[in-house]
Amino acid sequence: MTLDRSKLWSPAVSRLEPYVPGEQPQVANLIKLNTNESAFPPSPKVAQAITAAEINKLRLYPDPNSQLLRAAIAHYYKVDASQVFVGNGSDEVLAHAFFAFFQQALPLLYPDISYSFYPVYCDLYDIKAEQIPLREDFSLHLSDYQRPNGGIIFPNPNAPTAMGLPLSDIRELLNHNRDSVVLVDEAYVDFGGESAIALVNEFDNLLVVHTTSKSRALAGMRIGYAVGSAGLIDALTRVKNSFNSYPIDRLAELAGAASFADEDYFQWGRQQVMQARDYTVRELEQLGFTVLPSQANFVFARPNSKPAKTVFEALREKNILVRYFNKPKISEFLRISIGSQDNMTALVEAIQEIMQQ
Amino acid sequence: MTLDRSKLWSPAVSRLEPYVPGEQPQVANLIKLNTNESAFPPSPKVAQAITAAEINKLRLYPDPNSQLLRAAIAHYYKVDASQVFVGNGSDEVLAHAFFAFFQQALPLLYPDISYSFYPVYCDLYDIKAEQIPLREDFSLHLSDYQRPNGGIIFPNPNAPTAMGLPLSDIRELLNHNRDSVVLVDEAYVDFGGESAIALVNEFDNLLVVHTTSKSRALAGMRIGYAVGSAGLIDALTRVKNSFNSYPIDRLAELAGAASFADEDYFQWGRQQVMQARDYTVRELEQLGFTVLPSQANFVFARPNSKPAKTVFEALREKNILVRYFNKPKISEFLRISIGSQDNMTALVEAIQEIMQQ
């Protein structure tokens, strides 16, 4: 960017530090464990739903209210459709939520080690924020969030630590925090966590955000959703309808609804991930790694005898891609997505070789 | 909305007056001429591109930079891929452009009768704006826009009037307006207008926004794009990457690229629309309507012997849906999308009956 370029920009654009997603390299035979995607394809019902007839109907706009998809999600969680909002991936849902709830006089609170898109949204909408440090062992204590605030957001399980919180901790926070929105970002909750959706009818200031990108293997389709009180969903809908009437395309709506209609496949997929995760944790610990307790489809692990960056680069040489964050407090860790059992066996063998060198 | 609901909202949310898109009723045998959709399905190459193998790949994130699609668009318009931005429908592209360019000390200028999403974006991002009245005959004079401004936006052809501007008028404006962004919203340009994309290499402050929803029959797939200088595209990319890394899903990227690869079908489709439009204009004029000169896939027409609202409602009774805007200056007009020749014959017959009653 040169000064010449930015002279035509809104002043706000120059202050942005955009989010950088994990790499999507086009390399053959790459074992891709860097963006927490599913190792398995989506439910076969998804392909069945995307027929030639539906493709021809692409000439028509989608339903701006995504009623089919919202009804499927509402049915799944036993809530009313007025309690469900859908968006183009959970990132869009989060962006609208930051706009809708967190532009307040008091600061938004979120963990210092967390999803790195949160500070980007704060920059985008000029939201004041205060980062609450995790404890020494990377644990998140919600008692640290009982202070004046304009909103609270945290992932559960947290990212990139993978560590989860019990529902009782979240209930305790909500009992003490009634006047600002508490957003629980549950992108990874389906791999062993406890969802706060169980509490949405008790607390009208609770918003729970999910994605279909991980446990439903639909990262490529861009479907995120929020569940909360009708009042919060109303605010999100107002913001969405002031931005883009139709964020969910016709095929995405069909794909999402088909996924929620296939419970057996969903359960099978998450069991596969949890089994491969158990194997991975066991093997990494035997190789001398410290592995934080994971409730997610990834593990956060520190190779104690070599720098994390060295192991990251050596894995890349072997065509295995994991994620490395060159940031304070976590620069000695690797975030490793849980792929298929074959993927994880290959990873463990590659790490064995690397640690012996 | 009750006060109780909005107490948890950001104050900005209560001031929003969201955009209301045209209805998408689920009625069988409806002749739908209300949202300017294509009467024809997308190119057969679109269905060919969306294979079962691609659906299984939905487990993977899309390319956050949509390189395949941007390359296809760049090739089509003979510009560099760094001059192309893509988004989830042209509404999302416009929203990002309002954020990226129009948050300025001076007001944004746009026509008083125009796309009704513009004031909604201004509310969303708290952008000062000044509406420039169209002339008595609904014509747009760009000489009226030569005044201090923080940006200029207008559709060409304009909506809902359907009236187009020659490229020479746009060049003249750009010659006098170098210091703020001029955004030409060309959603309907493929039906007889002259695209300002021809000028993007001459004026680094020109951004041209298009959609695949009309002339490419992909309304249901949500693909819009902007063409301009690399500096403007850079700003849009910064905003997009601070909002949602992956607005174009994997199937949308394939569908869009397939559409741009089928020039014969594209040309056939727009010729069909222009022929059916000629027929419609001729017949409506014979029925005593005033029809504004149209370069779009719709006509804006005033039924001189009955109120527009009466005709709108009578058409609805006959299962034909057109668009009626109950707004100052245009409440005596109907906006009628150009469908297939069969659709337009049915419309003309229905109006004949209504006008005789």
Side-chain angles (χ1 to χ4, degrees):
Chain A
M1 169 192 44
T2 64
L3 272 178
D4 181 57
R5 280 196 168 188
S6 62
K7 77 177 181 345
L8 293 162
W9 299 0
S10 301
V13 176
S14 300
R15 83 167 178 246
L16 298 177
E17 292 183 36
Y19 178 75
V20 180
E23 302 166 75
Q24 301 288 349
Q26 304 301 316
V27 177
N29 301 317
L30 186 73
I31 297 182
K32 193 166 175 303
L33 304 175
N34 70 322
T35 52
N36 301 340
E37 291 152 328
S38 170
F40 311 103
S43 157
K45 289 192 195 296
V46 169
Q48 287 161 23
I50 300 177
T51 60
E54 293 294 344
I55 293 171
N56 279 345
K57 281 193 216 156
L58 288 173
R59 72 180 185 86
L60 301 172
Y61 280 96
D63 172 9
N65 303 314
S66 305
Q67 293 174 90
L68 175 78
L69 177 57
R70 286 171 55 227
I73 295 170
H75 177 77
Y76 190 82
Y77 292 106
K78 301 185 176 59
V79 297
D80 192 79
S82 67
Q83 295 176 274
V84 177
F85 177 81
V86 294
N88 183 276
S90 61
D91 285 343
E92 184 181 79
V93 176
L94 290 171
H96 287 331
F98 273 67
F99 187 100
F101 307 118
F102 299 149
Q103 297 182 94
Q104 304 287 354
L106 288 167
L108 174 68
L109 310 181
Y110 62 86
D112 65 336
I113 295 169
S114 188
Y115 185 31
S116 46
F117 221 132
Y118 299 160
V120 178
Y121 298 131
C122 289
D123 277 353
L124 185 68
Y125 298 132
D126 209 8
I127 291 167
K128 281 176 297 296
E130 204 175 310
Q131 297 189 13
I132 310 293
L134 295 183
R135 303 291 174 91
E136 197 73 27
D137 62 355
F138 296 98
S139 63
L140 176 66
H141 288 250
L142 290 179
S143 53
D144 299 342
Y145 292 72
Q146 289 183 25
R147 59 176 84 182
N149 67 76
I152 297 172
I153 183 170
F154 55 89
N156 185 33
N158 196 10
T161 65
M163 291 166 69
L165 288 170
L167 200 56
S168 54
D169 285 16
I170 295 172
R171 180 194 292 279
E172 176 72 8
L173 173 72
L174 286 160
N175 276 329
H176 289 89
N177 192 94
R178 299 271 187 175
D179 297 330
S180 69
V181 170
V182 175
L183 195 162
V184 187
D185 181 356
E186 296 188 348
Y188 300 106
V189 81
D190 289 329
F191 304 102
E194 285 185 276
S195 175
I197 290 179
L199 305 178
V200 295
N201 287 328
E202 273 178 76
F203 299 98
D204 70 357
N205 60 328
L206 169 64
L207 192 74
V208 183
V209 172
H210 278 218
T211 178
T212 65
S213 297
K214 317 294 180 182
S215 57
R216 295 188 180 275
L218 286 171
M221 197 81 264
R222 318 308 304 126
I223 307 164
Y225 55 100
V227 181
S229 63
L232 298 189
I233 300 305
D234 187 17
L236 290 170
T237 305
R238 290 172 67 89
V239 175
K240 170 248 176 196
N241 284 335
S242 299
F243 178 85
N244 180 8
S245 307
Y246 312 94
I248 301 288
D249 68 58
R250 296 184 75 93
L251 303 186
E253 181 160 24
L254 292 169
S259 173
F260 279 95
D262 195 351
E263 179 67 7
D264 288 349
Y265 187 84
F266 172 72
Q267 292 297 344
W268 173 83
R270 51 191 288 271
Q271 292 302 333
Q272 295 295 310
V273 169
M274 289 190 282
Q275 282 168 27
R277 181 180 68 200
D278 288 349
Y279 160 85
T280 306
V281 172
R282 215 162 46 232
E283 296 291 329
L284 289 176
E285 286 178 344
Q286 285 195 358
L287 288 163
F289 280 59
T290 299
V291 186
L292 301 189
S294 171
Q295 290 189 343
N297 71 338
F298 60 88
V299 293
F300 204 50
R302 183 172 57 209
N304 292 312
S305 58
K306 278 186 198 281
K309 190 155 185 276
T310 305
V311 180
F312 166 73
E313 285 164 356
L315 282 169
R316 212 190 153 100
E317 289 278 302
K318 293 174 183 289
N319 256 357
I320 299 178
L321 197 56
V322 300
R323 189 120 191 229
Y324 172 70
F325 300 90
N326 196 359
K327 289 185 181 177
K329 295 193 188 178
I330 57 171
S331 63
E332 280 314 310
F333 280 78
L334 298 174
R335 195 193 70 183
I336 303 170
S337 305
I338 303 299
S340 65
Q341 182 57 50
D342 283 356
N343 290 163
M344 303 326 285
T345 304
L347 171 90
V348 166
E349 285 170 7
I351 291 182
Q352 274 169 340
E353 288 175 26
I354 292 164
M355 301 315 277
Q356 281 161 10
Q357 274 158 14
Chain B
M1 171 193 41
T2 63
L3 273 179
D4 182 57
R5 281 197 167 187
S6 63
K7 79 179 180 342
L8 293 162
W9 300 359
S10 301
V13 176
S14 300
R15 81 166 181 250
L16 299 177
E17 292 183 34
Y19 178 74
V20 180
E23 302 166 75
Q24 302 288 348
Q26 304 301 315
V27 177
N29 302 317
L30 186 74
I31 297 181
K32 193 167 174 303
L33 304 174
N34 71 323
T35 52
N36 300 340
E37 291 152 328
S38 170
F40 311 102
S43 157
K45 289 192 194 297
V46 169
Q48 286 161 25
I50 299 177
T51 60
E54 293 295 345
I55 293 172
N56 279 344
K57 281 194 214 155
L58 289 174
R59 74 180 184 86
L60 301 172
Y61 280 96
D63 171 9
N65 303 314
S66 305
Q67 292 175 89
L68 176 80
L69 178 57
R70 286 171 54 226
I73 295 170
H75 177 77
Y76 190 82
Y77 292 106
K78 301 185 176 61
V79 297
D80 192 79
S82 66
Q83 295 176 274
V84 177
F85 178 81
V86 294
N88 183 275
S90 61
D91 285 343
E92 183 180 79
V93 176
L94 290 171
H96 286 331
F98 273 66
F99 188 100
F101 307 118
F102 299 149
Q103 297 182 94
Q104 304 287 356
L106 289 167
L108 174 68
L109 309 180
Y110 63 86
D112 65 336
I113 295 168
S114 189
Y115 185 30
S116 46
F117 221 132
Y118 299 160
V120 178
Y121 298 132
C122 289
D123 277 351
L124 185 68
Y125 298 132
D126 210 8
I127 291 167
K128 281 176 296 295
E130 203 174 310
Q131 297 190 13
I132 310 294
L134 295 183
R135 303 292 174 88
E136 198 73 26
D137 62 354
F138 296 97
S139 63
L140 176 65
H141 288 249
L142 290 179
S143 53
D144 299 341
Y145 292 71
Q146 289 183 27
R147 59 175 84 181
N149 67 76
I152 296 173
I153 183 169
F154 55 89
N156 184 34
N158 196 11
T161 66
M163 291 168 68
L165 287 171
L167 201 54
S168 54
D169 285 15
I170 296 173
R171 181 192 291 279
E172 177 74 7
L173 173 72
L174 286 160
N175 276 329
H176 289 89
N177 192 94
R178 300 273 188 172
D179 297 330
S180 69
V181 171
V182 175
L183 195 163
V184 188
D185 180 356
E186 296 188 348
Y188 299 106
V189 81
D190 289 329
F191 304 103
E194 285 185 275
S195 176
I197 291 179
L199 305 178
V200 295
N201 287 327
E202 273 178 75
F203 299 98
D204 69 358
N205 61 327
L206 169 63
L207 192 74
V208 183
V209 172
H210 277 220
T211 178
T212 65
S213 297
K214 318 294 180 181
S215 58
R216 295 189 180 274
L218 286 171
M221 197 81 262
R222 317 310 303 128
I223 307 164
Y225 55 100
V227 181
S229 63
L232 298 189
I233 300 306
D234 187 16
L236 290 171
T237 305
R238 290 172 67 90
V239 175
K240 169 247 176 198
N241 284 334
S242 299
F243 178 85
N244 180 7
S245 307
Y246 311 95
I248 301 288
D249 68 57
R250 295 183 75 94
L251 303 187
E253 180 159 25
L254 292 169
S259 173
F260 279 95
D262 196 351
E263 179 66 6
D264 287 350
Y265 187 85
F266 172 73
Q267 292 297 343
W268 172 84
R270 52 192 286 272
Q271 292 302 332
Q272 296 294 311
V273 170
M274 289 189 283
Q275 283 168 27
R277 181 179 69 201
D278 289 349
Y279 160 85
T280 307
V281 172
R282 216 165 43 233
E283 296 292 327
L284 288 176
E285 285 178 345
Q286 285 196 359
L287 288 163
F289 281 58
T290 299
V291 186
L292 301 189
S294 172
Q295 291 190 343
N297 70 337
F298 60 90
V299 293
F300 205 50
R302 182 171 57 209
N304 292 312
S305 59
K306 278 185 197 283
K309 189 152 185 279
T310 305
V311 180
F312 167 73
E313 284 163 356
L315 282 169
R316 213 190 152 100
E317 289 279 303
K318 293 174 182 287
N319 256 358
I320 299 178
L321 196 57
V322 301
R323 189 122 191 227
Y324 172 70
F325 299 90
N326 197 358
K327 289 185 180 175
K329 295 192 187 180
I330 57 172
S331 64
E332 280 315 309
F333 281 79
L334 298 174
R335 195 193 69 182
I336 303 169
S337 305
I338 303 299
S340 65
Q341 182 57 51
D342 283 356
N343 289 163
M344 304 325 287
T345 304
L347 171 90
V348 167
E349 285 171 6
I351 290 182
Q352 274 169 339
E353 288 175 27
I354 292 164
M355 301 315 276
Q356 280 160 10
Q357 275 158 13

